[in-house]
Amino acid sequence: MLGPGEVRRHASALETISVTVLEAAVPLFEEALSVACTTIGIFEADDAQKYWRIEGVKDIGHGEELLADALSIARTITGEDAELTRTRTEAEGWLARTYDAFPQQDVGRRFAIRGTHLPPERASRRLTIVLDAGVAFGSGEHGSTRGCLRALEMVAYRNPSRILDMGCGSGILAMAAAMFLRKPVLAVDIEPWSVRVARSNARLNGIGTLVRAELGNGWRTQAVAQNAPYDLVFANILARPLCRMAADLAQHLAPGGTAILAGLLRSQGRMVLAAHRRQGLVLERWLHEGEWSTLVLRRRG
């Protein structure tokens, strides 16, 4: 763990890559950059909110072939001939800026998120999740994560027993559910790096026995099938993958079970909702955090 004011040294040189695209093209280009980048940020590129800049940090030379293929597909599908820009990034300077942008974040009524770079906190009534800001967040807080945590507070009274965090990333939602509900949570991600980080974060927060992080390809993952059906599912991913997985989600959700879906811009909420309504799920709540939406859906029964 880092002490206050310390910055972890990065073993290799970093670069920041970015593209600027229309809002409708954001999900595909975000997905494209994510094949090579460990952190992704999305920022308004103009006051009219028509254009958005998608920015990621990666090791120089890492994943170049995959990145080129993914960008080519995104350009073909969207018709956006977005130019990829690259900027050499000093690791220490990037981490220092990240830490400056990541003070303690209080979310909803129950949660607090703190970086390992902050001094130990005094007694708090909030459930505090400690994360390495440089690894887990990049540029700081994200509206989709905040929306999921708020939604968790709203549905916790149902006391779900079987819980899944699909596409867990740093494991923040799995850890929040484990802390709040004191129940075991299965966390799954397709990226080995994310699984390692989620496991490390769970141990750091003293809930390594409650959070089980596994490598897998979505609903095809053996552990996911073995533990179904689920009373509560988090899927903080992207709009199009959520639409593609709607049928699988409905199949693996227990009667009366709840799904919290996020990673959506406001303009994408109706598309994702329609895909899940076709599978028989009903909308309970539609939350907003800035430009991001979170859908709380439930299976009848």
Side-chain angles (χ1 to χ4, degrees), residues 190-265:
I190 198 170
E191 291 290 341
W193 180 86
S194 294
V195 175
R196 290 195 298 271
V197 170
R199 289 173 180 169
S200 175
N201 284 334
R203 290 193 298 269
L204 175 64
N205 285 272
I207 49 173
T209 58
L210 286 178
V211 175
R212 173 187 173 191
E214 295 287 344
L215 180 68
N217 185 10
W219 295 103
R220 301 173 185 171
T221 306
Q222 184 177 7
V224 171
Q226 290 175 342
N227 286 276
Y230 296 95
D231 305 307
L232 175 61
V233 173
F234 296 98
N236 183 9
I237 312 177
L238 292 170
R240 293 183 187 278
L242 285 174
C243 290
R244 291 196 296 266
M245 296 192 300
D248 288 321
L249 170 62
Q251 180 181 349
H252 289 82
L253 199 60
T258 305
I260 298 175
L261 310 183
L264 323 170
L265 293 170

Side-chain angles (χ1 to χ4, degrees), residues 263-282:
L264 323 170
L265 293 170
R266 285 194 181 212
S267 60
Q268 299 166 334
R270 293 189 182 280
M271 173 180 71
V272 175
L273 177 57
H276 289 81
R277 277 178 166 165
R278 286 194 290 270
Q279 303 302 324
L281 303 187
V282 296

Side-chain angles (χ1 to χ4, degrees), residues 105-120:
Q105 303 164 40
D106 292 339
V107 184
R109 293 174 296 175
R110 299 298 305 273
F111 296 103
I113 305 169
R114 290 176 61 84
T116 54
H117 62 289
L118 296 174

Side-chain angles (χ1 to χ4, degrees), residues 17 28-40 54 67 70 191 238:
I17 61 175
L28 282 176
F29 279 92
E30 181 184 9
E31 196 168 1
L33 265 62
S34 69
V35 302
C37 298
T38 54
T39 63
I40 299 287
I54 308 164
L67 176 63
E191 291 290 341
L238 292 170

